Amino acid sequence: MRNLIDILDLDVREIDALIKRANDIIERPDAYREICRYKKLATLFFEPSTRTRLSFEAAMLELGGQVLGFSEAASYSSAKGESVSDTVRVVSCYADVIAMRHPKEGAPLVASMAASVPIINAGDGGHNHPTQTLTDLLTISREKGRLDHLTVGLCGDLKFGRTVHSLISALSRYEGVRFVLISPEELRLPDYIKQDILEEKGLKYLETESLEQVMPELDILYMTRVQRERFFNEEDYLRLRDSYILTPDKLTTAKSDLSVMHPLPRVNEISTAVDADPRACYFRQALNGKYIRMALILALLGL
Amino acid sequence: MHIDEIQNGIVLDHITAGKAMEIYHFLELDGRDCPVAILQNVGSRKMGRKDIIKIDAPIDTDLNVLAVLCPGITVNVIRDGVRVEKKALTLPPEVKDVIKCKNPRCITTTEQELPHIFRLTGAKTPVYRCIYCETKA
Ligand SMILES: [Zn+2]
């Protein structure tokens, strides 16, 4: 593994190895505390995403390494028009691995072609965000003990939600995964994903507008945000928003071992009253994000 | 309209009406001194209207990319005034600077001198996708 640009850069065995490593880090944190001593991670965030950046920085610090970088393009020379390629060529001189977030789609791929150190895509516009998907896979694996034979409900904005799209492509490689796609008509999963991934691989899926109706079947419920700007008018937004808010009430028919996930930040799509329910695992998911990034950094550094 | 038939060269037929000049420039025919005839909006039973380009000289450019620029185009090789071959075009697995990415959020819109590269994907229906943002051509 040289870079991580797209989740599909990793085959199932490589993903399994990262999950295994992350679990080992969780079990034996002491063994990893010094492993990245004298190594540096550069976080190049051409657009702000505090949560993701902190997760990367915490990961490197917990491995005993150091971090440097910037968190908005205005503070770096790209504001003066420097290319992504030039930036990472220079930063390659200062760091051993680079995590990069950029508003333009494909920027991390361009970076990986120019850099002499490994590049991690920390989000490129609405395109890819592979470490989020790795986080989701580690979470499912830890909560469920497996990544196959699961009924996975994806709820909310399935049209624009990139985390949903890459989670579907990642999970489609495991046997017996069934998807339940829960969204308003306006925010359904795009046809090309249904055709290229689900139908191409002969995977079972169900589309519905009703969360209540399918709740009892689900092993995983992956919630996403329904954003106001996706709607033409306020009435539609308000009407639909409320039907996709998860409340303790809606969870009464769910399985006792359901796992409720969310990539965070949450706005109001999960009621805070759900947080205390042991089935809510979105904060554990955020913690897993740090561990899988630790495993990834080690893999890319060959440690 | 009457245009002399060519002797040794190629005839590009079934060009989508209006695309002839794009292909003319792509093949850099303006830089050559051979006779070139461009026919635009010719009546076609199959297509309604089509363009045709006749080039009275052999061409050594890889013509397969024409199938990317203009699906449906046909290439006829003429020798001594007679059509000797109707070239079958195969879609190349990758094309560089043939088509441009139309996604305004793509890194190709801002990165200096970055080549526009598209790769052929899709099992059932072949589609070219930008290698950076994966947008369809
Ligand atoms: Zn593109």
Side-chain angles (χ1 to χ4, degrees):
Chain A
M1 196 195 315
R2 175 76 177 78
N3 304 288
L4 179 61
I5 306 302
D6 184 317
I7 190 66
L8 296 179
D9 292 349
L10 302 174
D11 61 31
V12 173
R13 272 175 44 206
E14 288 170 309
I15 287 177
D16 286 348
L18 287 173
I19 289 175
K20 215 172 153 197
R21 196 77 191 272
N23 283 324
D24 192 52
I25 294 169
I26 294 167
E27 278 156 37
R28 305 185 302 129
D30 284 344
Y32 292 90
R33 234 157 239 170
E34 297 278 314
I35 193 167
C36 280
R37 211 168 162 199
Y38 307 122
K39 299 281 184 196
K40 282 168 286 177
L41 164 78
T43 50
L44 309 187
F45 276 53
F46 293 84
E47 74 178 358
S49 172
T50 310
R51 186 180 310 273
T52 305
R53 185 171 55 85
L54 291 180
S55 178
F56 271 106
E57 296 187 353
M60 191 55 168
L61 294 172
E62 268 193 55
L63 293 167
Q66 290 179 298
V67 295
L68 66 162
F70 57 84
S71 58
E72 48 190 319
S75 66
Y76 194 69
S77 49
S78 75
K80 299 173 199 141
E82 188 181 39
S83 68
V84 166
S85 302
D86 283 3
T87 304
V88 298
R89 264 191 208 112
V90 172
V91 175
S92 293
C93 307
Y94 310 143
D96 302 286
V97 54
I98 295 172
M100 176 176 160
R101 190 180 189 100
H102 199 286
K104 290 285 181 180
E105 300 173 13
L109 178 67
V110 171
S112 71
M113 292 164 164
S116 54
V117 301
I119 299 285
I120 302 170
N121 181 359
D124 57 338
H127 185 217
N128 281 321
H129 191 9
T131 58
Q132 177 65 53
T133 310
L134 284 177
T135 301
D136 298 342
L137 295 174
L138 174 63
T139 303
I140 295 171
S141 154
R142 285 184 67 78
E143 298 289 324
K144 288 285 172 286
R146 64 182 192 277
L147 289 167
D148 51 11
H149 298 94
L150 292 167
T151 297
V152 181
L154 300 153
C155 179
D157 178 357
L158 307 187
K159 186 174 182 184
F160 299 97
R162 65 174 172 190
T163 49
V164 165
H165 302 169
S166 39
L167 185 58
I168 289 175
S169 40
L171 281 175
S172 71
R173 300 188 287 184
Y174 297 89
E175 219 176 290
V177 175
R178 180 174 164 259
F179 294 101
V180 180
L181 309 169
I182 310 146
S183 73
E185 177 82 44
E186 293 87 337
L187 295 177
R188 279 194 183 186
L189 193 72
D191 284 342
Y192 72 89
I193 293 184
K194 283 184 223 157
Q195 285 157 8
D196 292 0
I197 302 172
L198 300 176
E199 282 155 27
E200 176 82 27
K201 297 194 176 171
L203 293 171
K204 288 186 203 141
Y205 69 94
L206 169 78
E207 279 187 303
T208 177
E209 296 200 17
S210 163
L211 176 56
E212 279 98 331
Q213 215 176 351
V214 293
M215 188 66 94
E217 311 170 26
L218 306 178
D219 297 312
I220 306 275
L221 173 57
Y222 198 100
M223 297 293 296
T224 62
R225 240 173 101 191
V226 173
Q227 285 168 289
R228 184 176 311 226
E229 52 268 33
R230 305 298 188 206
F231 290 89
F232 291 115
N233 62 65
E234 188 76 7
E235 287 152 56
D236 279 355
Y237 167 70
L238 293 174
R239 175 174 56 83
L240 291 165
R241 184 194 63 182
D242 294 342
S243 43
Y244 300 98
I245 291 180
L246 187 64
T247 55
D249 206 40
K250 284 184 187 142
L251 276 173
T252 51
T253 61
K255 284 188 184 172
S256 59
D257 67 343
L258 170 74
S259 303
V260 180
M261 297 173 63
H262 190 294
L264 302 180
R266 143 180 76 178
V267 177
N268 58 4
E269 54 280 6
I270 301 178
S271 157
T272 53
V274 173
D275 297 357
D277 192 306
R279 291 172 289 189
C281 58
Y282 29 92
F283 292 113
R284 292 197 289 279
Q285 189 180 353
L287 179 61
N288 289 333
K290 181 185 70 180
Y291 291 122
I292 200 75
R293 287 180 177 97
M294 290 168 81
L296 177 66
I297 290 168
L298 292 176
L300 290 171
L301 291 176
L303 292 168
Chain B
M1 184 167 61
H2 178 80
I3 290 178
D4 288 343
E5 289 305 324
I6 62 172
Q7 285 304 305
N8 288 293
I10 57 167
V11 174
L12 305 176
D13 200 355
H14 302 104
I15 300 171
T16 312
K19 280 222 167 188
M21 288 314 290
E22 194 186 322
I23 288 168
Y24 176 84
H25 289 297
F26 179 77
L27 293 174
E28 297 176 330
L29 295 173
D30 46 346
R32 298 183 58 138
D33 55 6
C34 60
V36 176
I38 299 168
L39 289 81
Q40 291 179 303
N41 290 318
V42 180
S44 158
R45 226 176 302 154
K46 209 169 76 185
M47 305 169 67
R49 300 255 158 223
K50 66 175 181 181
D51 291 357
I52 302 171
I53 300 178
K54 300 183 178 189
I55 307 157
D56 205 354
I59 291 267
D60 48 14
T61 321
D62 176 13
L63 295 173
N64 283 319
V65 293
L66 294 180
V68 184
L69 274 180
C70 183
I73 193 170
T74 53
V75 179
N76 302 290
V77 181
I78 313 291
R79 225 164 277 151
D80 300 323
V82 183
R83 184 174 89 174
V84 293
E85 190 191 353
K86 188 173 172 184
K87 254 194 159 82
L89 299 180
T90 47
L91 291 171
E94 190 176 291
V95 286
K96 190 171 166 181
D97 287 331
V98 173
I99 30 185
K100 285 208 172 298
C101 185
K102 289 183 229 108
N103 175 7
R105 298 174 307 278
C106 179
I107 185 65
T108 50
T109 59
T110 49
E111 185 82 353
Q112 187 190 350
E113 290 160 57
L114 187 65
H116 287 241
I117 302 173
F118 280 76
R119 220 166 266 153
L120 195 59
T121 61
K124 282 170 201 143
T125 40
V127 193
Y128 281 97
R129 286 185 188 276
C130 171
I131 64 160
Y132 309 103
C133 70
E134 295 174 81
T135 300
K136 272 191 210 172

